[in-house]
Amino acid sequence: MSLKIIPINKPSITELEISYVNDAISTGWGEKCNDYIYKFQNDFAEYQQSKFALATSSCTGAIHLALMALGIKAGDEVIVPDITWIATVEPVLYIGAKPVFVDILRDTWCIDPEKIKTAITPKTKAIIVVHLYGNVCEMDEIMQIAKDYNLVVLEDAAEGLGSEYKGKKAGSIGDAGVFSFHGTKTMTTGEGGILVTNNETVFEKAKVLNDHGRNPKDPENKMFWMREYGYKYKMSNLQAALGCAQIRRIDELVEKKRQIFNWYTTLLSNIPGQLNFEQTDTKNSYWLPTLVFNKSLIFKRDSFFELCKLNKVDSRPFFFPLSSLPIFEDKKENIIAYDMYARGINLPSFHDITFEEVSKVCSLVKEFING
Ligand SMILES: *Cc1c(COP(=O)(O)O)cnc(C)c1O
C-alpha cells in the first residue's frame, strides 16, 4: 500500500480563489491590467492597518526595495538575527552593506534586544527583525533602541502574517514591513510578496525603484525618460487576483493555523521539548509548528528525518545559524543559536491537515524519542 505524503505546507485553495483567478485571466487585461494589483494592495494595507502597500514578485524583492528606500547604502552595517531564512539577509549583500548577526532569545527564538545594543557601531544603520515561525519579536524594546541610536527597523514578517504585538499586526510596527506569499506561507499568490509602511516618502521611493526608476511625477512626455535606474519586482495582476481571494479568507486561514498548533500542543504535552512560544500581549499565528528538544535528550536529527521519509511525513530542520554558512564568518558567541539549532524540527501545518494526520506525526515523534 502506498502511503499518502503529509506535506509540510501547501496552500488552501477554494472556489473563491479559482473564480478570482478565472476572472483575472479572462478579463484582467488592457485598461484593467492593474485592477487586481491595486485592489490587493488596498485590501492588504487595510488588514495590516498600514497606510501604504506595494505588491512585489517576492518577499526577497520587497526586502531589497525596502532597504534601498530606507536609505541603506554600501558599507552600512545592518543588524539581523542569526537564525532566519537566508532571504532576510541576501538583499543586504545586494546593496553591498554588511549583515551583523545577533543571537536569539531562548523562548521566542527571535532576535535578542540586549544583544542588538552590543552589536551597534557607528556604521550601523538598520535592524531587520524576523517574526520566526509566527513567533513575535520584542517590538517595544527594539523600537526604543532604534530611536536611541537613530536606526531604522525593517520587520521581515514573511512568517508572521496574522501575528500581533500589543494589538498591532506584526509587520506594521517598524519603519517598513515585508511579507511573502510563497506557496508554503500562511497565504499565497503562487510566488509574491508585499512591502507595507506608514511613511509616504519610503513608499514613493520604493515605488519608483520598483518601476525601473520611472517617476510618476515626471511629465507625460518623459514617460520613457528615467532620472535614475531601478529594478522590477512587480507582482502580476493574475497573482494579485489570487491574493485578493486569500486576503478575504485571512482570518479563517490564521485561525486554522492556531487550531493545528493546539492539536500539536495537546498531543505533544509530555515531550521533553518546547514548541513555539506566545508571550502575553501577543498573538502567535503559528505559521510553522516547531519543536526544540531539551538538551538532556540525545536527539539525532538526521535519523529522525529518515524515519519521517520512510513514513511519508515531510518535516524540516530548524535553520542553521546563518553565520555558520561558508559565505559568512563564524559567530560562535551567538551561544543560543549555535546551542539549539540542531535540536529543532518543523512539523506539517498545511490548512487542510486532519487531526488524524497530526496524530500520526506526533506518534512518529514519540516513537523516535522513546526509541
Ligand atoms: C519565505 C521567507 C522570505 C522570502 O520570501 P520569498 O517570497 O520566497 O522571497 C523571507 N524571509 C523569511 C523569514 C521567509 O520565511
Side-chain angles (χ1 to χ4, degrees):
M1 197 187 81
S2 76
L3 285 167
K4 214 172 96 194
I5 290 179
I6 302 180
I8 187 112
N9 262 321
K10 64 175 177 176
S12 164
I13 301 297
T14 64
E15 286 302 320
L16 187 72
E17 281 81 2
I18 293 168
S19 69
Y20 272 61
V21 176
N22 263 335
D23 182 58
I25 201 168
S26 315
T27 69
W29 309 104
E31 63 188 6
K32 292 171 78 177
C33 71
N34 288 316
D35 286 6
Y36 275 110
I37 299 172
Y38 296 148
K39 179 169 165 46
F40 181 51
Q41 291 175 162
N42 280 333
D43 292 357
F44 196 86
E46 192 186 318
Y47 173 72
Q48 277 299 128
Q49 299 286 302
S50 293
K51 283 197 189 133
F52 308 101
L54 182 69
T56 55
S57 52
S58 70
C59 178
T60 310
I63 296 170
H64 191 193
L65 292 173
L67 290 174
M68 290 187 291
L70 290 167
I72 308 310
K73 302 245 156 47
D76 292 345
E77 288 180 6
V78 177
I79 290 176
V80 294
D82 210 345
I83 297 279
T84 177
W85 174 230
I86 185 86
T88 307
V89 174
E90 281 165 335
V92 176
L93 304 174
Y94 301 166
I95 291 174
K98 184 182 170 214
V100 175
F101 296 104
V102 163
D103 208 357
I104 54 171
L105 292 166
R106 210 172 268 286
D107 52 5
T108 61
W109 314 322
C110 292
I111 196 163
D112 181 341
E114 285 305 314
K115 304 267 171 62
I116 291 178
K117 278 193 211 162
T118 58
I120 293 172
T121 76
K123 287 184 175 173
T124 310
K125 291 283 151 51
I127 308 167
I128 306 182
V129 302
V130 179
H131 302 291
L132 196 78
Y133 306 135
N135 299 358
V136 180
C137 298
E138 305 298 324
M139 291 311 295
D140 278 353
E141 287 84 345
I142 291 162
M143 295 312 290
Q144 188 58 47
I145 294 166
K147 202 170 154 206
D148 292 346
Y149 293 87
N150 197 22
L151 310 173
V152 292
V153 174
L154 173 60
E155 286 181 86
D156 180 345
E159 305 182 0
L161 179 58
S163 290
E164 291 174 18
Y165 180 85
K166 298 189 177 172
K168 285 188 185 156
K169 289 276 181 335
S172 72
I173 302 161
D175 296 277
V178 291
F179 295 85
S180 169
F181 306 125
H182 182 263
T184 55
K185 298 287 159 67
T186 296
M187 65 160 268
T188 194
T189 59
E191 291 275 2
I194 205 162
L195 187 171
V196 296
T197 180
N198 290 321
N199 183 324
E200 189 165 7
T201 315
V202 169
F203 175 65
E204 293 298 335
K205 263 185 161 170
K207 223 163 59 172
V208 171
L209 284 164
N210 195 27
D211 191 20
H212 303 288
R214 185 152 54 171
N215 199 320
K217 289 190 180 123
D218 282 332
E220 195 80 2
N221 65 355
K222 291 270 174 91
M223 185 164 189
F224 294 131
W225 186 88
M226 285 76 176
R227 286 185 280 184
E228 54 183 343
Y229 75 87
Y231 300 82
K232 191 188 178 201
Y233 290 124
K234 196 169 166 281
M235 178 181 277
S236 75
N237 201 52
L238 285 174
Q239 291 168 306
L242 181 49
C244 285
Q246 292 259 287
I247 196 74
R248 268 186 68 181
R249 295 180 52 224
I250 188 68
D251 290 338
E252 172 203 337
L253 294 175
V254 170
E255 272 321 299
K256 194 68 219 205
K257 286 283 185 184
R258 288 180 60 86
Q259 181 185 34
I260 294 163
F261 184 80
N262 283 333
W263 291 342
Y264 279 114
T265 310
T266 309
L267 293 166
L268 294 173
S269 59
N270 297 319
I271 289 284
Q274 187 213 316
L275 288 159
N276 306 47
F277 182 71
E278 185 178 61
Q279 313 96 297
T280 38
D281 281 346
T282 69
K283 175 179 172 181
N284 194 322
S285 59
Y286 298 123
W287 166 60
L288 195 51
T290 297
L291 177 59
V292 176
F293 293 104
N294 294 349
K295 223 171 172 173
S296 56
L297 190 90
I298 309 295
F299 177 67
K300 297 210 172 76
R301 198 156 79 163
D302 292 343
S303 319
F304 176 73
F305 290 132
E306 269 168 42
L307 180 71
C308 286
K309 212 168 162 190
L310 213 64
N311 287 278
K312 300 236 158 102
V313 168
D314 198 7
S315 172
R316 297 285 157 87
F318 204 88
F319 292 123
F320 287 102
L322 288 178
S323 67
S324 70
L325 301 182
I327 47 172
F328 299 114
E329 243 171 75
D330 255 17
K331 213 170 165 202
K332 297 233 173 63
E333 62 267 38
N334 289 341
I335 293 167
I336 298 173
Y338 279 75
D339 168 59
M340 72 176 222
Y341 79 92
R343 291 184 273 120
I345 53 170
N346 307 137
L347 302 166
S349 66
F350 61 98
H351 302 91
D352 296 329
I353 196 169
T354 63
F355 181 76
E356 286 65 36
E357 287 171 318
V358 170
S359 303
K360 181 186 161 174
V361 174
C362 294
S363 303
L364 267 189
V365 170
K366 288 181 186 164
E367 179 191 325
F368 185 78
I369 64 166
N370 296 324

